[in-house]
Amino acid sequence: MSLAVIKFSSEECGICHKMSFYDQKVAEELGLQFIDVKMQDTATYRKYRKVLLTQYPDKSDMGWPTYIVCDAPEGEFQIIGEVKGGHPKGEFRSRLQEVLNSAANQN
């Protein structure tokens, strides 16, 4: 599996910006590829839009930021789980780890 976490955020989101100081580092420490998608970056957003819309067809329940953990994000992806909203570094790590643990338990 080539697991990645895709961060969907906005340039205007203060919490998204605050989390950017540690979210990529935490994801990589857990062995995940990190993909940062700002909604204003139309080229990058288009590339990963299908992943977001699979999880949130009308985007109404997504948080800021939304982290979607998936396998093969650039191909025939499979969504493993997600972390929504802003969290302190330790809690963010725990929530990502929970997603990875539940995925491992299903295999």
Side-chain angles (χ1 to χ4, degrees):
M1 280 209 285
S2 56
L3 290 180
V5 62
I6 306 172
K7 175 185 182 180
F8 291 95
S9 65
S10 170
E11 291 174 4
E12 288 91 40
C13 172
I15 293 170
C16 302
H17 179 70
K18 185 177 176 184
M19 289 189 69
S20 70
F21 289 102
Y22 54 83
D23 56 9
Q24 180 171 356
K25 184 176 186 215
V26 168
E28 290 173 351
E29 287 172 358
L30 294 174
L32 299 166
Q33 176 189 359
F34 186 84
I35 301 165
D36 192 5
V37 178
K38 301 246 187 317
M39 301 304 261
Q40 294 84 351
D41 178 355
T42 53
T44 306
Y45 173 69
R46 270 192 218 112
K47 186 174 182 180
Y48 297 102
R49 180 175 183 261
K50 190 174 179 184
V51 175
L52 180 65
L53 294 181
T54 296
Q55 191 77 348
Y56 296 101
D58 62 3
K59 300 185 207 165
S60 66
D61 292 327
M62 64 182 285
W64 291 100
T66 291
Y67 298 86
I68 297 179
V69 180
C70 66
D71 184 28
E74 295 176 16
E76 295 296 318
F77 65 89
Q78 177 184 355
I79 295 175
I80 307 298
E82 69 179 353
V83 175
K84 290 196 303 191
H87 305 284
K89 185 177 182 179
E91 186 177 339
F92 178 66
R93 178 189 305 277
S94 297
R95 288 177 181 245
L96 266 184
Q97 188 64 60
E98 285 173 21
V99 169
L100 297 175
N101 292 346
S102 68
N105 291 337
Q106 292 175 0
N107 289 336

